[in-house]
Amino acid sequence: MRPEIALTNAGVLVDVVGIGYDEYTPEQRDQVISAFPRGDFKNEFLKVQTCSALKKPQTTFGTVNFDYIEDHDPGFRKPNACTRIRNTPWQS
């Protein structure tokens, strides 16, 4: 994996789903939030992803994007990324 791709991937994992969150001190996390305020990041992220997935649901099977449809339609159940994102320790 090229370094810029690996860095982007690592950033998404910690920012979106909280992987590695505990590897940073509260002070370091506060510095990040001060420099880059999140607003209502979790809900805005899920809204954008859901809108995208609903436009072409046939392309989402077997991907994390299928989880956004499940979140939009409470009748459908399977383990999903949306629950994990909402439960990350990052403030929203």
Side-chain angles (χ1 to χ4, degrees):
M1 187 180 300
R2 293 188 344 229
E4 65 274 16
I5 294 170
L7 182 60
T8 300
N9 185 54
V12 168
L13 290 175
V14 73
D15 191 39
V16 177
V17 293
I19 293 173
Y21 178 88
D22 292 327
E23 295 175 24
Y24 299 92
T25 67
E27 294 78 17
Q28 288 172 316
R29 295 189 298 257
D30 288 344
Q31 288 174 345
V32 170
I33 296 301
S34 293
F36 305 98
R38 295 173 68 79
D40 190 11
F41 175 79
K42 292 177 187 182
N43 289 312
E44 289 299 318
F45 180 87
L46 292 172
K47 179 180 173 183
V48 168
Q49 292 297 105
T50 299
C51 288
S52 176
L54 288 171
K55 288 179 185 176
K56 45 188 179 171
Q58 69 281 4
T59 67
T60 64
F61 186 78
T63 71
V64 69
N65 295 331
F66 200 58
D67 294 334
Y68 303 114
I69 294 174
E70 176 196 25
D71 195 67
H72 184 74
D73 178 4
F76 181 79
R77 292 280 181 238
K78 73 177 209 52
N80 75 68
C82 296
T83 301
R84 189 169 183 183
I85 290 167
R86 285 200 180 98
N87 291 328
T88 63
W90 283 106
Q91 64 186 8
S92 196

